[in-house]
Amino acid sequence: MTVEAKLTEARREFHSTLLGGILTRSASGAPSNADKSSRPSVAIANAILDQLGPAQTAPKLPGQTAGADFETVCATFVRMCFEKLRHLRPGNFSVSKGGWIAQFDQYAHLDDLEAIAKANREIATALGSDYLIKPDIVVARQPETDDVINTPALLVDETTARLTSLRSENQALATLHASISCKWTLRSDRAQNARSEGLNLVRNRKGRLPHVVVITGEPTPTRIASLALGTGDIDCVYHIALYELRNALEDQGREETLELLDTMVEGKRLRDISDLPLDLVI
């Protein structure tokens, strides 16, 4: 009997959960992640859906409901996989939905900035609100006690390493390890806020830059490219079913969009959801 790899199993369970209510097919035959007004979008989404398994026939969920449910499913997937990879990335990590970035060590100074802005309208106008970032999913690492750090030998004491954020003796805040944005589809300008959030995570940090990634279920490569192409703001875009998407494009003879998809993959701008847990332990 062949043993199934844990990440393969997790990927299958991830898809099964999506098929349980988020990824459905309407009575007219349009998948819930497709743009029903776009024939290519519906065709590609249907081909992906056929590979993932039988879909429920159900009305499409309201946008906010689908988005919130998608975040929950993604958070569960990341949490479950990260737990299995502790041997590759030791430490006290947690995966949770949302939360303002000022709760983390690299961005704690933003609390002071907000207090100043609230007290002075002119400063508030000058600063704007771009720094008020609340990621959909966060991966955090708690600081370690000296007992843990000194497990193999006496590595630190009261005379050295007195500023590092990893020591709980120095500070109590968690470090933001990853910021994950979840975009069920990419059919509005709002999807581009992942770029601005990423840029602000880069600009406003004091310390280590967290992973900045996006997960999407968008079936159309041209719309994925609008977010994936370019560098500097996000690490990478992760698709819920990249292998199935590529098969769909191949089977339908969509050579131009297949070339665009391969360009994103070969350029390290697009990966499958199963790549994300391993990338996060880097």
Side-chain angles (χ1 to χ4, degrees), residues 114-184:
E114 185 182 28
I116 294 170
K118 283 182 176 179
N120 189 308
R121 186 175 298 176
E122 289 185 9
I123 292 178
T125 302
L127 290 175
S129 59
D130 288 344
Y131 63 90
L132 299 174
I133 301 169
K134 293 183 178 180
D136 296 329
I137 301 171
V138 295
V139 181
R141 180 173 187 173
Q142 298 297 325
E144 303 286 358
T145 66
D146 283 2
D147 287 343
V148 171
I149 295 172
N150 289 330
T151 297
L154 184 61
L155 299 176
V156 296
D157 57 26
E158 68 277 3
T159 65
T160 55
R162 294 166 61 184
L163 299 176
T164 174
S165 299
L166 185 60
R167 290 182 71 183
S168 60
E169 294 288 327
N170 296 339
Q171 64 90 36
L173 295 177
T175 296
L176 181 60
H177 180 74
S179 169
I180 303 174
S181 180
C182 300
K183 304 295 181 186
W184 179 230

Side-chain angles (χ1 to χ4, degrees), residues 241-267:
L242 180 61
Y243 311 142
E244 291 79 4
L245 171 56
R246 195 181 193 287
N247 290 340
L249 299 177
E250 241 180 355
D251 292 345
Q252 295 176 10
R254 300 181 184 275
E255 295 182 4
E256 187 174 332
T257 49
L258 181 59
E259 183 179 353
L260 176 60
L261 187 80
D262 287 342
T263 296
M264 289 186 283
V265 172
E266 292 166 9

Side-chain angles (χ1 to χ4, degrees), residues 14-274:
F14 173 75
H15 290 151
S16 178
T17 304
L18 291 177
L19 291 168
I22 304 172
L23 183 53
T24 59
R25 187 179 273 128
S26 70
S28 63
S32 57
N33 62 332
D35 180 354
K36 64 181 181 180
S37 65
S38 168
R39 187 173 299 176
S41 177
V42 172
I44 296 169
N46 266 316
I48 293 172
L49 190 49
D50 289 342
Q51 295 174 73
L52 294 181
Q56 297 181 33
T57 299
K60 184 177 181 179
L61 292 174
Q64 286 189 336
T65 302
D69 290 352
F70 185 50
E71 291 170 15
T72 299
V73 176
C74 290
T76 299
F77 172 81
V78 172
R79 185 182 301 113
M80 182 173 62
C81 293
F82 213 84
E83 186 67 30
K84 299 181 187 305
L85 299 172
R86 287 190 177 277
H87 63 293
L88 297 177
R89 187 79 185 213
N92 184 8
F93 288 90
S94 63
V95 180
S96 59
K97 285 183 61 177
W100 189 34
I101 58 172
Q103 67 184 295
F104 300 105
D105 174 63
Q106 308 102 300
Y107 303 98
H109 60 284
L110 296 181
D111 261 340
D112 295 332
L113 192 62
E114 185 182 28
I116 294 170
K118 283 182 176 179
N120 189 308
R121 186 175 298 176
E122 289 185 9
I123 292 178
T125 302
L127 290 175
S129 59
D130 288 344
Y131 63 90
L132 299 174
I133 301 169
K134 293 183 178 180
D136 296 329
I137 301 171
V138 295
V139 181
R141 180 173 187 173
Q142 298 297 325
E144 303 286 358
T145 66
D146 283 2
D147 287 343
V148 171
I149 295 172
N150 289 330
T151 297
L154 184 61
L155 299 176
V156 296
D157 57 26
E158 68 277 3
T159 65
T160 55
R162 294 166 61 184
L163 299 176
T164 174
S165 299
L166 185 60
R167 290 182 71 183
S168 60
E169 294 288 327
N170 296 339
Q171 64 90 36
L173 295 177
T175 296
L176 181 60
H177 180 74
S179 169
I180 303 174
S181 180
C182 300
K183 304 295 181 186
W184 179 230
T185 59
L186 297 172
R187 287 191 292 279
S188 74
D189 292 339
R190 287 179 299 173
Q192 295 300 319
N193 65 14
R195 285 188 184 278
S196 60
E197 286 182 3
L199 286 171
N200 279 293
L201 285 167
V202 173
R203 293 168 179 163
N204 290 320
R205 79 190 191 280
K206 289 187 177 180
R208 181 190 181 281
L209 178 65
H211 292 278
V212 183
V213 305
V214 179
I215 304 174
T216 187
E218 171 61 47
T220 312
T222 51
R223 288 172 175 167
I224 297 171
S226 70
L227 183 60
L229 293 182
T231 58
D233 39 22
I234 58 175
D235 297 0
C236 191
V237 174
Y238 293 82
H239 196 273
I240 63 168
L242 180 61
Y243 311 142
E244 291 79 4
L245 171 56
R246 195 181 193 287
N247 290 340
L249 299 177
E250 241 180 355
D251 292 345
Q252 295 176 10
R254 300 181 184 275
E255 295 182 4
E256 187 174 332
T257 49
L258 181 59
E259 183 179 353
L260 176 60
L261 187 80
D262 287 342
T263 296
M264 289 186 283
V265 172
E266 292 166 9
K268 300 182 179 181
R269 306 305 301 146
L270 179 65
R271 294 179 178 175
D272 183 69
I273 186 68
S274 59

